[in-house]
């Protein structure tokens, strides 16, 4: 269901009587209904024949249907005339038969006339009989003798009844007049005669010569012949009876296929006063002859109703596809009615027998409308008669189009030249594609396939007319920017599914002379250049070389150099092709003179473009340069080789960078080796006295090794320093810094460390025991002094006005400085230095001391930022303190001593901040982040023990 369809072939007129439902093939009666009497007349059997085509998945099947129309009793018998007049002699003997008019009933079979009745009387009765053509008729029979004197006439009612259910009947009135007696009646030799007549007998042919004898004399013996009232009008039209001679002849042509038998009742009557008559029945039987040619009927599966004789088939139809139904019929009988058909015209089609005398036209091969759009076929039908009749009919099969051809461009590649500087909207070219399909299948639409050209969609450069394929420019093209534009145009048809093809269009820009020459050497200043010429230059020496370029191409870029006529052409000449300026005169007497020359550079374009410049030749006393060598005549033919200054600069810079990189790698390798040597020395026994030169050298090497490595760390907050339990961040920093190199700590600092490596308490204790010697920085070297002597240094103000009243530097005695220092040391801070004040800090800013060292290594890397609060001091490096913040301040003895005194106290660690030696001022921010080199070791070193000395 849903995949099969049914269709009634339009053959004869059956399509108006019967309908076929397309979905399921249900047959139904048409709106006009069926009338058997109109369709088949008196034929004993009425059959409607038609054909139905069923289609399933593009496969067709022909179904022949014969529909028998059965008769119903829908017609009543009727007589030709409602009143019939008969005459009979009073001397007629009983049993005389008087023929009555034949009643007509259009029904057949049992529904036709079956019986006759006559009204009740004593003299006449009715008797029914069957004629030779199958019709029922009745005769009025005389039952007893008549007496004219007693009853001269009789009126009877005749009734004809059919055999239907319910039965129908027809009535007529019969008037019988009794005539006076006539002694003898005409007599036929035979009461019934049968004649065979060929259906092709020509009109006028004699069938029979009737002769009736009457022994009476005079008028009573003269016989007149006539057809009785029972002869139908059709027979009266076809046959003629001579009333005097009784010759029965053929009046018109007869047709065996229409009526095969005729029954004629001939009545012979004398001309007496009381005429008497006799009846003879003549039966005419027609014989068949081959007088009908076969008839051909072709019903197309697909075809226009108005185009008779034309069938359509798709070019995509498979082999043995059904095209049309051919029906051949012959009205003759027997061998004369047997027909055979054949198809001629092309081997792409053939006939297949469907049933009896019906054939199907089917395809035998694949079709191509573009190659053969139409086929002219000939159908020949021939019967088997003798001689045979033949019918020939021309039939046309047109191949309907399918979208089986993609558009085809005339050329696979189009090359077009377009001059540059074209106006937007300029026409470029037209691409043409052909599609041999028809209708929408052959309607082509052009479009531009998108791509990128110099970062922009190609649709912003050109446009394509979708109907004609014309290509137009959307912008002005510049040959110097874009020399060629590649387009791909696609042509698509309107079929379903759509088919397409593409072609490549190469649009080549043609250079126009739209760029004037540009002088690139020597460099012009406001269109003028000054060239120095030695007064000692010899004749024909090269003075200068003029270089110019033109952005155009080809002949438009071919340059010609020349001096204007009014210029100093007697002293200087220029090569027209190379631009070399040559001295042609003597300048020995022209020292200090300035010669002005107008230089023109012209290209070879059409029209040519030129550039003009003023060249001033200044005669100097310098010696001729190397460029002013003698110009040989052959030098005009070649181009002098010159140094490329930018290339030389690039080579020099590249070589310098390479040497610098090698030096950096060498220094880094050397420092790395020395660093490993310092690690070994640090593990040896600690000495009481420190080799200052070795310490400074080690730190310098370490600085050079770390100069390119910036490490940013998070500085612990103040809370982490004072808390007895260090935070994880503080532990991490301490551990990380403990693992770093400690070569920058000099021996005095190491002695001040505690033996156990623990952090010191909030309040440091001062014992009265003699302090170990301390190394301090004085000037540009370290000096060793005793611990007691270090405490005697004054914290006196520098006198520069950079201290407040309560600053530690303002106290002359130094007690306030010690007190303030102890207070800040208890809070875990360092004293501020003069450098801090220059950087914008006050005397109250202190550097936080580090928390307790964590002996366990931290698994986390150090934080990438060192954070100082606003009051944080930035201490100098203990070894290279003069190279970091170059503040030009005089260092007082008090400040220096305080800084050095505080520096070597028993704090748990020292943070070294390395920075390039440049003057700077830190921004006055709440939080500042500075890059930080890897700090030296933060491990707390206690007093020297025997174990360490042994080690």
């Amino acid at each position: 269901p849903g995949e099969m369809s049914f269709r009634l072939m339009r053959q004869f007129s059956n399509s108006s009587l019967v309908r076929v439902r397309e979905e399921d093939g249900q047959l139904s009666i048409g709106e006009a209904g069926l009338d058997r009497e109109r369709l088949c007349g008196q034929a004993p059997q009425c059959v409607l024949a038609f054909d139905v085509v069923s289609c399933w998945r593009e496969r067709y099947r022909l179904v022949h249907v014969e529909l028998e129309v059965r008769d119903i009793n829908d017609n009543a018998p009727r007589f030709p005339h409602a009143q019939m007049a008969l005459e009979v002699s009073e001397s007629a003997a009983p049993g005389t038969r008087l023929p009555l008019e034949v009643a007509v009933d259009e029904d057949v079979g049992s529904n036709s006339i079956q019986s006759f009745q006559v009204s009740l009387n004593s003299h006449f009765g009715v008797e029914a009989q069957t004629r030779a053509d199958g019709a029922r008729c009745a005769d009025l029979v005389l039952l007893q003798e008549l007496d004219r004197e007693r009853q001269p006439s009789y009126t009877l009612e005749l009734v004809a009844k059919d055999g239907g259910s319910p039965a129908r009947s027809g009535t007529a009135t019969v008037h019988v007049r009794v005539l006076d007696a006539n002694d003898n009646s005409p007599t036929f030799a035979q009461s019934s005669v049968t004649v065979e007549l060929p259906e092709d007998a020509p009109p006028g042919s004699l069938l029979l010569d009737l002769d009736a004898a009457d022994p009476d004399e005079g008028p009573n013996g003269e016989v007149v012949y006539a057809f009785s009232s029972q002869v139908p009008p059709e027979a009266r039209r076809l046959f003629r009876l001579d009333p005097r001679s009784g010759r029965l002849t053929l009046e018109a042509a007869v047709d065996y296929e229409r009526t095969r038998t005729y029954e004629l009742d001939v009545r012979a009557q004398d001309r007496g006063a009381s005429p008497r008559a006799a009846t003879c029945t003549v039966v005419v039987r027609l014989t068949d002859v081959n007088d009908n040619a076969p008839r051909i009927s072709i019903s197309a599966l697909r075809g226009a109703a108005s185009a008779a004789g034309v069938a359509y088939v798709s070019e995509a139809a498979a082999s043995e596809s059904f095209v049309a139904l051919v029906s051949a019929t012959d009205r003759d009988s027997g061998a004369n009615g047997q027909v055979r058909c054949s198809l001629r015209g092309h081997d792409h089609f053939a006939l297949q027998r469907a049933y009896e005398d019906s054939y199907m036209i089917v395809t035998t091969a694949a079709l191509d409308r573009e190659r053969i759009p139409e086929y002219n076929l000939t159908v020949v039908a021939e019967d088997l008669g003798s001689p045979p009749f033949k019918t020939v009919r021309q039939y046309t099969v047109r191949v309907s189009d399918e979208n089986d051809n993609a558009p085809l461009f005339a050329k696979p590649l189009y090359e077009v030249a377009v001059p540059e500087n074209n106006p937007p909207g300029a026409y470029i070219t037209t691409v043409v594609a052909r599609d041999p399909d028809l209708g929408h299948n052959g309607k082509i639409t052009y479009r531009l396939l998108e791509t990128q050209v110099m970062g922009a969609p190609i649709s912003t450069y050109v446009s394509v007319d979708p109907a004609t394929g014309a290509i137009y420019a959307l912008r002005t093209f510049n040959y110097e920017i874009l020399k060629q534009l590649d387009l791909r145009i696609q042509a698509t048809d309107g079929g379903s599914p759509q088919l397409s093809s593409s072609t490549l269009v190469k649009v080549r820009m043609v250079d126009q002379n739209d760029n004037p020459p540009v002088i690139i050497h020597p460099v012009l200043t406001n269109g003028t250049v000054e060239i120095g010429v030695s007064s000692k230059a010899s004749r024909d020496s090269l003075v200068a070389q003029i270089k110019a370029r033109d952005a155009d191409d080809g002949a438009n870029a071919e340059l010609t150099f020349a001096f204007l006529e009014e210029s100093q052409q007697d002293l200087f000449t220029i090569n027209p092709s190379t631009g070399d300026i040559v001295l042609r005169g003597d300048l020995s007497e022209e020292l200090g003179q300035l010669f002005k020359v107008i230089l023109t550079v012209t290209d070879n374009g059409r029209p040519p473009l030129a550039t003009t410049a003023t060249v001033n030749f200044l005669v100097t006393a310098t010696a001729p340069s190397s460029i002013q060598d003698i110009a040989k005549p052959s030098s005009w033919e070649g181009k002098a080789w010159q140094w490329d200054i930018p290339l030389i600069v690039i080579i020099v810079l590249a070589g310098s960078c390479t040497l610098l990189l090698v030096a950096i790698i060498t220094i880094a390798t050397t420092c790395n080796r020395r660093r490993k040597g310092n690690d070994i020395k640090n593990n040896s026994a600690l000495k009481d006295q420190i080799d200052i030169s070795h310490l400074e050298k080690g730190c310098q090497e370490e600085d050079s090794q770390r100069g390119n490595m910036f490490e940013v760390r998070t500085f612990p907050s103040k809370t982490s320093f004072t808390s007895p339990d260090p935070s994880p961040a503080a532990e991490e920093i301490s551990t990380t810094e403990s693992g770093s190199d400690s070569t920058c700590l000099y021996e005095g600092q190491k002695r001040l460390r505690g033996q156990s490596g623990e952090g010191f308490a909030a309040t440091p204790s001062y014992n009265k025991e003699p302090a170990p010697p301390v190394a301090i920085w004085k000037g540009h070297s370290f000096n060793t002094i005793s611990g007691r002597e270090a405490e005697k240094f004054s914290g006196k103000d520098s006198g520069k006005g950079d201290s407040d009243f309560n600053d530690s530097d303002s106290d002359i005695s130094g007690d306030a400085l010690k007190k303030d220092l102890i207070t800040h040391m208890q809070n875990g801070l360092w004293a501020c230095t003069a450098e801090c004040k220059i950087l914008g800090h006050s005397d109250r800013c202190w550097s936080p001391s580090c928390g307790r060292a964590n002996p366990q290594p931290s698994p986390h890397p150090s934080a990438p930022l060192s954070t100082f609060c606003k009051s944080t001091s930035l201490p100098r490096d203990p070894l290279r303190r003069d190279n970091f913040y170059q503040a030009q301040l005089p260092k007082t003895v008090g400040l220096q001593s305080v800084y050095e005194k505080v520096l070597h106290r028993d704090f748990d660690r020292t943070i070294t901040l390395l920075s390039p030696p440049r003057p700077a001022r830190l921004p006055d921010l709440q939080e500042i982040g500075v890059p930080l080199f890897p700090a030296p070791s933060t491990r707390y070193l206690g007093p020297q023990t025997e174990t360490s000395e042994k080690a």
Side-chain angles (χ1 to χ4, degrees):
E3 296 183 358
M4 182 173 290
S5 61
F6 297 85
R7 181 179 177 183
L8 181 66
M9 298 295 293
R10 299 185 180 276
Q11 188 177 10
F12 308 116
S13 59
N14 297 341
S15 58
S16 61
L17 302 175
V18 180
R19 292 180 299 185
V20 178
R21 190 158 63 188
E22 184 178 358
E23 292 79 8
D24 55 3
Q26 183 187 75
L27 292 176
S28 60
I29 304 301
E31 297 178 356
L34 297 178
D35 187 355
R36 184 191 182 282
E37 290 73 28
R38 183 173 61 86
L39 295 174
C40 303
Q42 295 297 318
Q45 188 178 18
C46 183
V47 176
L48 293 180
F50 54 90
D51 297 285
V52 176
V53 175
S54 63
C55 177
W56 178 69
R57 295 183 180 177
E58 296 298 328
R59 299 182 64 87
Y60 297 94
R61 180 183 178 187
L62 184 66
V63 181
H64 181 68
V65 180
E66 292 183 354
L67 178 63
E68 180 183 1
V69 182
R70 295 182 177 181
D71 183 46
I72 61 174
N73 191 22
D74 58 344
N75 293 282
R78 59 182 178 82
F79 290 93
H81 301 91
Q83 303 290 329
M84 291 186 289
L86 296 177
E87 293 180 348
V88 61
S89 175
E90 63 177 341
S91 61
T96 302
R97 306 174 71 89
L98 302 176
L100 299 174
E101 293 182 358
V102 178
V104 177
D105 193 338
E106 294 179 354
D107 296 328
V108 296
S110 61
N111 294 326
S112 62
I113 298 174
Q114 299 295 324
S115 62
F116 295 90
Q117 293 179 358
V118 69
S119 59
L120 185 62
N121 66 90
S122 58
H123 292 83
F124 298 95
V126 66
E127 183 178 341
Q129 58 183 354
T130 303
R131 295 164 54 87
D133 56 2
R136 297 281 290 178
C137 62
D139 293 337
L140 193 62
V141 180
L142 181 62
L143 299 179
Q144 59 181 357
E145 295 181 353
L146 298 174
D147 187 359
R148 177 179 177 277
E149 288 74 14
R150 291 183 61 185
Q151 188 173 353
S153 64
Y154 295 88
T155 301
L156 307 174
E157 184 176 342
L158 180 63
V159 177
K161 290 186 178 181
D162 59 23
S165 179
R168 294 174 178 269
S169 61
T171 303
T173 301
V174 180
H175 298 279
V176 180
R177 185 167 66 89
V178 180
L179 302 176
D180 192 11
N182 189 1
D183 294 333
N184 297 294
S185 298
T187 303
F188 286 98
Q190 296 177 353
S191 61
S192 178
V193 180
T194 301
V195 179
E196 290 186 356
L197 178 68
E199 64 172 334
D200 61 348
S205 300
L206 177 63
L207 277 70
L208 184 64
D209 191 357
L210 296 174
D211 185 15
D214 191 337
D216 293 334
E217 294 181 356
N220 293 332
E222 295 178 4
V223 179
V224 179
Y225 301 91
F227 289 122
S228 68
S229 60
Q230 293 181 347
V231 177
E234 180 67 18
R236 295 173 183 271
R237 185 183 64 82
L238 296 177
F239 301 97
R240 180 177 182 274
L241 180 63
D242 191 332
R244 289 190 176 272
S245 63
R247 291 170 58 90
L248 183 64
T249 58
L250 183 63
E251 182 70 15
V254 292
D255 188 1
Y256 174 83
E257 288 72 29
R258 184 174 182 181
T259 304
R260 299 184 179 184
T261 304
Y262 294 94
E263 184 173 339
L264 307 176
D265 292 331
V266 180
R267 182 180 180 183
Q269 183 178 353
D270 59 20
R271 303 181 65 181
S274 299
R276 303 185 69 172
T279 304
C280 178
T281 302
V282 179
V283 177
V284 180
R285 298 185 183 276
L286 303 180
T287 58
D288 184 40
V289 295
N290 191 20
D291 60 342
N292 292 286
R295 296 177 56 188
I296 299 175
S297 175
I298 303 178
S299 300
L301 177 64
R302 295 174 55 193
S306 59
V310 179
Y312 292 88
V313 60
S314 172
E315 63 176 331
S319 180
E320 296 187 358
S321 296
F322 177 59
V323 178
L325 175 65
V326 178
S327 298
T329 59
D330 196 324
R331 296 177 61 191
D332 297 327
S333 60
N336 297 330
Q338 296 180 7
V339 183
R340 56 188 178 187
C341 291
S342 61
L343 182 66
R344 304 170 186 173
H346 207 283
D347 56 358
H348 284 177
F349 297 90
L351 280 180
Q352 288 185 0
R353 182 181 292 272
Y355 59 90
E356 295 182 356
D357 295 332
S358 295
Y359 301 85
M360 294 186 301
I361 300 178
V362 297
T363 61
T364 59
L367 306 178
D368 188 0
R369 189 204 65 82
E370 289 71 31
R371 190 169 63 90
I372 305 178
E374 184 176 287
Y375 295 87
N376 293 320
L377 306 178
T378 302
V379 180
V380 179
E382 185 178 9
D383 60 23
L384 302 180
S386 181
F389 275 86
K390 182 187 296 184
T391 300
V392 178
R393 182 171 177 180
Q394 301 294 330
Y395 198 71
T396 301
V397 177
R398 295 176 181 170
V399 182
S400 59
D401 183 52
E402 295 291 338
N403 191 26
D404 57 346
N405 292 280
L408 181 63
F409 283 94
K411 295 186 294 184
L413 176 63
Y414 289 82
E415 293 184 351
V416 185
V418 177
E420 66 172 332
N421 303 321
N422 59 289
Y427 170 78
I428 298 177
T429 187
T430 298
V431 294
V432 179
R434 295 286 184 265
D435 194 327
D437 295 327
L438 297 178
H440 291 287
N441 296 333
K443 186 178 181 180
I444 299 177
T445 302
Y446 302 90
R447 74 182 186 94
L448 178 65
L449 297 182
E450 281 295 342
T451 184
Q452 294 288 326
V453 176
M454 299 178 63
I458 198 171
S459 57
T460 61
Y461 287 83
V462 295
S463 66
V464 178
D465 191 330
T468 63
I471 303 176
Y472 299 93
L474 297 181
R475 62 171 65 180
T476 300
F477 296 133
N478 191 345
Y479 174 83
E480 289 72 31
I481 298 177
L482 182 64
K483 292 182 173 55
Q484 180 171 308
L485 184 63
D486 293 340
L487 318 175
R488 185 159 290 277
I489 307 299
Q490 184 183 62
T492 306
D493 58 24
S496 179
Q498 292 182 337
L499 300 178
S500 62
S501 63
S502 62
T503 185
L504 181 63
V505 181
K506 292 187 176 181
V507 181
R508 180 174 54 86
M509 312 307 169
V510 178
D511 183 40
Q512 300 293 316
N513 192 22
D514 57 346
N515 292 284
V518 178
I519 298 174
I520 59 175
H521 179 76
V523 180
L524 301 180
T525 302
N526 295 328
T528 304
V529 63
E530 184 175 295
I531 299 176
V533 182
S534 175
S535 61
K536 302 177 182 179
S538 61
R539 187 185 300 270
D540 295 333
S541 61
L542 182 63
V543 176
Q545 289 181 337
I546 305 299
K547 292 184 179 181
R549 66 180 178 183
D550 195 318
D552 295 324
D553 196 9
N556 297 328
E558 296 178 359
L559 304 181
T560 301
F561 302 87
F563 290 147
L564 293 182
E565 296 180 357
E566 61 272 11
S567 301
Q568 300 289 339
Q569 293 189 1
D570 54 345
L571 292 178
F572 302 96
T573 60
I574 186 169
N575 191 310
S577 58
T578 63
D580 293 342
I581 300 176
V582 177
L583 178 63
R584 292 301 183 187
D586 186 11
L587 299 179
S588 58
E589 302 297 332
E590 305 293 339
L591 182 62
Q593 295 296 325
L594 183 66
F595 297 95
K596 182 178 181 182
V597 176
I598 305 300
L599 171 67
T600 60
V601 183
T602 308
D603 57 26
N604 292 336
R606 294 293 183 271
L609 299 178
T611 298
T612 303
T614 301
V615 181
N616 295 325
F617 294 98
L618 178 62
V619 181
T620 62
T622 58
S625 61
S626 60
I627 195 174
Q628 296 178 354
D629 294 336
I630 300 300
K632 305 299 180 181
S634 60
S635 65
W636 299 112
E637 301 176 359
K639 183 176 181 181
W641 183 83
Q642 298 181 9
W643 287 96
D644 193 348
I645 303 303
L647 180 61
I648 296 175
V649 173
I650 292 174
I651 294 175
V652 172
L653 291 177
S656 302
C657 294
T658 304
L659 294 176
L660 180 61
L661 180 61
V662 172
I664 293 174
I665 295 175
T666 304
I667 295 174
T669 304
T670 305
C671 292
N672 189 24
R673 292 176 181 176
R674 292 183 179 180
R675 178 181 177 183
K676 292 180 181 179
N678 292 335
D679 291 340
I680 297 175
K681 293 179 181 181
N682 290 335
N683 293 329
S684 62
L686 299 177
K687 298 179 180 180
D688 295 338
Q689 300 295 329
I690 298 175
D691 188 358
I692 300 303
S693 62
H694 172 70
L695 180 60
E696 292 178 348
K697 180 179 180 182
C699 291
Q700 291 175 358
E701 290 176 353
E702 181 180 358
D703 292 343
S704 63
Q705 180 180 355
R706 300 180 184 180
N708 294 331
M709 296 176 56
F710 287 89
E711 181 178 0
V712 181
R713 306 193 179 201
T714 304
F715 202 85
S717 62
K718 182 177 180 180
T719 307
S720 63
F721 295 127
T722 58
S723 174
D725 295 331
S727 62
E731 292 178 359
E732 180 180 344
I733 295 174
S734 301
T735 305
T736 305
E737 295 179 354
S738 297
S740 61
D741 189 23
S742 61
T743 59
C744 289
L745 293 178
Y746 48 89
E747 299 299 332
Q749 288 176 315
K750 293 179 181 179
R751 279 193 211 98
L752 295 177
R753 304 289 182 178
Q755 181 178 0
S756 61
E758 297 178 356
F760 50 85
T763 305
S765 61
Y766 299 92
N767 42 19
K768 302 299 183 177
E769 298 178 1
V774 177
I776 64 173
W777 180 267
K778 288 188 177 182
H780 297 283
S781 62
F782 282 91
N783 292 329
T784 303
I785 61 175
S786 63
R788 296 293 184 179
E789 187 178 356
E791 294 178 358
K792 296 179 181 180
F793 284 94
S794 174
K796 189 176 181 179
D797 188 15
S798 60
K800 299 297 180 178
D802 54 354
S803 301
D804 295 335
F805 177 77
N806 293 325
D807 288 347
S808 60
D809 293 344
S810 63
D811 186 66
I812 300 176
S813 63
D815 295 335
L817 174 64
K818 295 179 180 179
K819 182 179 180 181
D820 192 18
L821 179 62
I822 292 174
T823 302
H824 289 291
M825 290 174 60
Q826 291 177 353
N827 294 333
L829 301 178
W830 286 348
C832 182
T833 62
E835 285 83 348
C836 297
K837 298 178 182 180
I838 288 298
L839 293 177
H841 300 278
S842 65
D843 293 338
R844 299 301 180 183
C845 60
W846 304 92
S847 296
S849 61
C850 297
R852 184 185 304 271
N854 188 3
Q856 300 295 331
S858 174
H860 303 287
S862 60
L865 185 64
S866 179
T867 306
F868 294 87
C869 62
K870 185 175 181 180
S871 60
T872 301
S873 173
L874 299 176
R876 295 177 299 174
D877 181 60
L879 300 180
R880 300 179 64 182
R881 59 189 67 183
D882 289 339
N883 294 331
F884 296 100
Y885 299 101
Q886 298 180 2
Q888 302 298 328
L889 294 177
K891 298 180 180 179
T892 61
V893 176
L895 286 176
Q896 183 70 28
S897 62
V898 170
Y899 181 82
E900 294 170 350
K901 184 177 182 180
V902 173
L903 184 64
H904 69 270
R905 286 296 181 179
D906 291 343
F907 300 139
D908 56 348
R909 70 173 179 177
T910 300
I911 294 179
T912 303
L913 178 63
L914 301 180
S915 175
R918 64 180 182 272
R921 175 180 179 87
L922 296 179
D924 190 11
L925 302 174
Q926 185 66 27
E927 294 289 337
I928 56 175
V930 297
L932 181 64
F933 281 94
S937 174
T938 57
R939 184 172 61 253
Y940 183 80
L941 300 179
Q944 186 68 30
T945 61
E946 294 180 1
T947 304
S948 61
E949 290 178 356
K950 292 179 180 180

